[in-house]
């Protein structure tokens, strides 16, 4: 180790700047296309079911990861679930305090073996508990664009 | 031969396409399920999974093998990803081989996937950071620079013309016309088409290069006692080899791929091959660029230095020639989803040695074939030899 002991700022050593100039366009895929279109157009959640393994996947999958069979059985899932676990976030990615703390929950969707990690809204963080019943609040149809944020948040029921 | 005997018993692949709607996982699942179906095995029969995928920037997912694992059949199993850049597609079956040869596992599913279309505006951007940050990146290089410089050095060393090299692109794109999964098969392409295509970085022109591609390929590899049970046509892994040259491409002889020779010698030694030109009946060298097929054939010791172009011109490397080369259609014809492309070559040797290559089948019942890939900082050679 040489200069590193003495430099106060990264640019005190000779440096060059660089970036990796790429962005990505991710297709949501065969199962994702139907899942997100149902959310966007109908404000409904759909799951796929593997009868062999008795597993209901939400978000839905094209194949069962356990037995590898293609999943053709689509079932509508309720937009309700229970808080499996949660956290309240106080700082942003750069470590700055958030204007309002945000509560994030892993919501196990009813009648499925899966769930969604999403914001909780219309609830004081101190009142959230594991096992709490919640429901999805969808944005207005005109604002939905086929994204997981077409669900604005989950709120207590 | 070291370790326990290992056979390839199944193979499957997706179509190679320019832009797949499927997610990377869904592509991997399709190839993996087809490979299992081809040997009437199920995921329950698989002990471990090997995943091959090239730079993560293509799929745009860091820790890409963890992301892909459920599509590759990795749920609840030992899973590993090896990575040697463009050499990965042949290295992954090598990894599958040592998982079984070591005695640790009886059955391994090897899945290679690449979804390059996610990467915008062009996958070239993902390559910028492979260059040295201080010596090369300030010049704003792209990958074509390396190939153009290498191709020019190769042509100059042996007095080759563009026409000598364009025959490879024509052969492979014509061969690919018989491949049901091919992206760029063309039965009518001519040398003139290649010579008249857009100049990208002289001497590299558009039709000298393989395309950006999405796709996945999978193999089932297993120990001898399993192979004997599941098939009467096991294809054995006879030799494997890989080697890295200097990370400084400016410290290499660009007209000859020494790293390929080192990898080939390792594989030949393991397979007990002393005269590769007589003992290798069919070859799938890595052909992302047409001159690379020739370059690699020389590194594989299948032709003398500078002699591969003449052999190609004489028809030796055609499907009905003395040494069929890239009967699949190669990367130039079938397509180049990086890691999947190398594994496609191994699958092609498997199908050819089993006599299952359909319209692509080379005559004369070949008994032994070789697949090779190349990559990393353009300095890795990976070689696998299969025998009936």
């Amino acid at each position: 180790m040489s200069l590193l002991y003495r430099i106060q700022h990264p640019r005190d050593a000779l440096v060059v700047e660089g970036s990796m100039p790429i962005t990505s366009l991710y297709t949501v895929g065969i199962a994702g296309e139907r899942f997100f279109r149902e959310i966007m157009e109908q404000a409904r959640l759909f799951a796929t079911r593997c009868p062999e393994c008795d597993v209901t996947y939400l978000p839905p999958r094209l194949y069962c990861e356990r037995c590898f069979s293609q999943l053709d059985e689509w079932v509508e899932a309720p937009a309700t679930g229970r808080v499996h676990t949660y956290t309240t976030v106080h700082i942003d990615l750069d470590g700055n305090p958030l204007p309002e703390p945000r509560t994030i929950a892993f919501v196990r969707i009813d009648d499925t073996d899966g769930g969604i990690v999403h914001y909780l809204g219309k609830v004081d963080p101190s009142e959230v508990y594991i096992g709490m019943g919640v429901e999805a609040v969808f944005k207005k149809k005109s604002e939905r664009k086929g994204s997981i944020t077409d669900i604005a948040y989950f709120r207590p029921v | 031969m070291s370790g326990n005997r290992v056979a390839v018993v199944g193979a499957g692949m997706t179509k190679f396409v320019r832009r797949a709607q499927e997610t990377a996982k869904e592509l991997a699942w399709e190839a993996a399920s087809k490979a299992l179906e081809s040997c009437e095995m199920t995921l329950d029969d698989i002990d471990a999974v090997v995943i091959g995928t090239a730079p993560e920037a293509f799929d745009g997912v860091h820790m890409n093998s963890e992301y892909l694992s459920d599509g590759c059949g990795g749920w609840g199993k030992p899973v590993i990803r090896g990575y040697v850049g463009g050499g990965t597609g042949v290295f992954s079956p090598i990894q599958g081989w040592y998982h079984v040869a070591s005695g640790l596992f009886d059955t391994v599913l090897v899945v290679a996937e690449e979804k390059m279309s996610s990467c915008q505006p062009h996958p070239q951007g993902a390559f910028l950071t492979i260059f040295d940050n201080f010596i090369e990146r300030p010049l704003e290089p792209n990958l074509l620079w390396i190939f153009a410089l290498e191709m020019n050095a190769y042509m100059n060393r042996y007095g080759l013309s563009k026409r000598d090299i364009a025959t490879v692109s024509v052969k492979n794109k014509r061969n690919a016309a018989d491949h049901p999964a091919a992206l760029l098969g063309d039965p009518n392409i001519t040398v003139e088409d290649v010579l008249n295509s857009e100049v990208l970085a002289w001497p590299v022109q558009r039709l000298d290069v393989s395309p950006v591609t999405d796709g996945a390929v999978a193999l089932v590899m297993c120990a001898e006692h399993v192979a004997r049970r599941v098939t009467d046509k096991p294809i054995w892994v006879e030799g494997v080899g890989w080697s890295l040259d200097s990370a400084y491409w400016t410290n290499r002889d660009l007209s000859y791929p020494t790293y390929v020779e080192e990898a080939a010698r390792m594989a030949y030694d393991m397979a007990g091959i002393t005269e590769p030109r007589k003992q290798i009946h069919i070859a799938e060298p890595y052909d992302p660029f047409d001159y690379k097929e020739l370059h690699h054939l020389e590194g594989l010791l299948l032709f003398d230095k500078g002699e591969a172009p003449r052999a190609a011109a004489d028809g030796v490397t055609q499907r009905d020639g003395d040494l069929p080369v890239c009967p699949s259609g190669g990367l130039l014809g079938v397509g180049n989803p990086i890691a999947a492309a190398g594994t496609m070559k191994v699958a092609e040797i498997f199908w050819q040695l089993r006599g299952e290559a359909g319209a692509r089948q080379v005559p004369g019942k070949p008994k032994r074939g070789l697949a090779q890939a190349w990559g990393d900082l353009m300095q890795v050679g990976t070689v696998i030899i299969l025998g009936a």
Side-chain angles (χ1 to χ4, degrees), chain A residues 19 23 25-27 30 63 68, chain B residues 21 26 60 70 115 118 120:
Chain A
S19 63
T23 50
L25 278 179
Y26 306 101
T27 57
I30 305 301
Y63 53 87
F68 244 31
Chain B
Q21 185 186 358
E26 289 171 343
D70 57 272
K115 190 171 183 201
S118 306
Q120 302 287 319

Side-chain angles (χ1 to χ4, degrees), chain B residues 186-248:
Chain B
D186 182 350
N188 302 314
I189 190 171
T190 65
V191 167
E192 299 308 320
D193 292 334
V194 180
L195 297 179
N196 292 330
S197 63
E198 180 190 5
V199 175
L200 305 179
W202 184 260
V204 174
Q205 290 172 263
R206 173 75 62 193
L207 294 180
D208 293 315
V209 192
S210 56
V212 169
T213 314
D214 294 348
V217 182
L219 304 172
V220 180
M221 302 179 77
C222 61
E224 182 165 11
H225 67 277
V226 179
R228 299 282 182 208
R229 198 172 69 227
V230 301
T231 179
D232 53 6
K233 288 192 289 183
I235 299 300
W236 304 101
V237 179
E238 297 190 346
V240 302
W242 67 102
S243 182
L244 275 169
D245 201 338
S246 166
Y248 292 85

Side-chain angles (χ1 to χ4, degrees), chain A residues 14-33 57 60-71, chain B residues 20-23 25-26 29 32-33 36 43 57 59-61 70-73 75 115 118-122 125-126 128-129 133-134 137:
Chain A
L14 275 176
V15 294
V16 296
E17 288 184 21
S19 63
M20 207 184 279
I22 54 165
T23 50
S24 299
L25 278 179
Y26 306 101
T27 57
V28 296
I30 305 301
E33 189 84 15
Y57 290 101
R61 312 220 199 141
L62 177 62
Y63 53 87
C64 175
E65 67 181 6
R66 302 178 183 216
C67 71
F68 244 31
S69 54
Q70 184 162 343
L71 302 182
Chain B
Q21 185 186 358
E22 286 83 355
T23 60
K25 289 173 190 250
E26 289 171 343
W29 165 77
S33 334
L36 287 169
L43 206 48
D59 280 344
V61 176
D70 57 272
C72 298
W75 182 76
K115 190 171 183 201
S118 306
C119 196
Q120 302 287 319
H122 190 281
L128 184 57
T129 52
N133 283 324
F134 317 114
R137 275 192 71 185

Side-chain angles (χ1 to χ4, degrees), chain A residues 65 72-73 83 85 88 100 105 111 122 125 141 157:
Chain A
E65 67 181 6
D72 301 314
E73 187 182 337
V83 172
T85 183
T88 301
E100 288 287 330
D111 305 335
K122 305 289 187 210
K141 187 165 187 182
V157 284

Side-chain angles (χ1 to χ4, degrees), chain B residues 55-279:
Chain B
E56 303 188 316
F58 290 154
D59 280 344
V61 176
H62 274 156
M63 299 172 62
N64 199 16
S65 61
E66 287 74 5
Y67 163 76
L68 287 172
S69 59
D70 57 272
C72 298
W75 182 76
K77 296 186 194 297
V79 175
I80 194 169
R81 171 201 189 185
Y83 173 66
V84 285
T88 302
V90 169
F91 187 71
S92 295
I94 292 174
Q95 242 181 339
W97 168 79
Y98 63 67
H99 271 54
V100 178
S102 64
L104 198 54
F105 302 106
D106 282 341
T107 52
V108 173
L109 182 59
V110 176
V111 188
E113 176 278 342
E114 215 73 61
K115 190 171 183 201
M116 300 175 74
S117 66
S118 306
C119 196
Q120 302 287 319
H122 190 281
Q124 278 291 342
F127 283 117
L128 184 57
T129 52
I130 72 168
F131 291 95
D132 183 279
N133 283 324
F134 317 114
I135 306 298
E136 292 160 357
R137 275 192 71 185
L139 305 176
E140 300 178 5
N142 69 45
L143 212 52
L144 284 171
W145 289 28
I146 296 185
F147 303 121
L149 292 167
E150 193 176 72
M151 182 170 172
N152 205 7
Y154 177 62
M155 288 169 62
N156 196 271
R157 169 72 67 89
Y158 302 112
L160 304 172
S161 68
K162 285 276 304 174
R163 187 172 291 274
D164 295 327
I165 289 173
T167 59
V168 173
S169 188
V170 171
K171 167 179 69 71
N172 291 2
K173 290 177 193 293
R174 286 186 178 186
N175 281 352
D178 295 323
H179 200 308
L183 171 61
L184 277 188
D186 182 350
N188 302 314
I189 190 171
T190 65
V191 167
E192 299 308 320
D193 292 334
V194 180
L195 297 179
N196 292 330
S197 63
E198 180 190 5
V199 175
L200 305 179
W202 184 260
V204 174
Q205 290 172 263
R206 173 75 62 193
L207 294 180
D208 293 315
V209 192
S210 56
V212 169
T213 314
D214 294 348
V217 182
L219 304 172
V220 180
M221 302 179 77
C222 61
E224 182 165 11
H225 67 277
V226 179
R228 299 282 182 208
R229 198 172 69 227
V230 301
T231 179
D232 53 6
K233 288 192 289 183
I235 299 300
W236 304 101
V237 179
E238 297 190 346
V240 302
W242 67 102
S243 182
L244 275 169
D245 201 338
S246 166
Y248 292 85
W249 61 285
T250 47
N251 285 68
R252 300 203 291 268
D253 173 3
L254 294 182
S255 65
Y256 186 72
T258 305
Y259 43 93
V260 172
E261 178 178 334
E262 289 167 356
R265 287 189 185 278
M266 177 176 163
Y268 292 148
D269 282 350
M270 192 182 290
I273 289 175
T274 51
E275 294 181 280
R277 293 174 200 191
K278 289 184 183 160
Q279 293 170 280

Side-chain angles (χ1 to χ4, degrees), chain A residues 28-67:
Chain A
V28 296
I30 305 301
E33 189 84 15
R34 180 156 174 191
F35 178 61
F36 287 113
R37 284 195 184 280
E38 289 288 352
I39 289 176
M40 176 168 64
E41 289 158 14
Q42 308 289 341
R44 297 192 299 193
L45 297 182
F46 268 80
T48 53
R49 209 181 122 61
C50 179
E52 196 67 32
C53 301
D54 193 24
V55 173
T56 302
Y57 290 101
L58 188 138
R61 312 220 199 141
L62 177 62
Y63 53 87
C64 175
E65 67 181 6
R66 302 178 183 216
C67 71

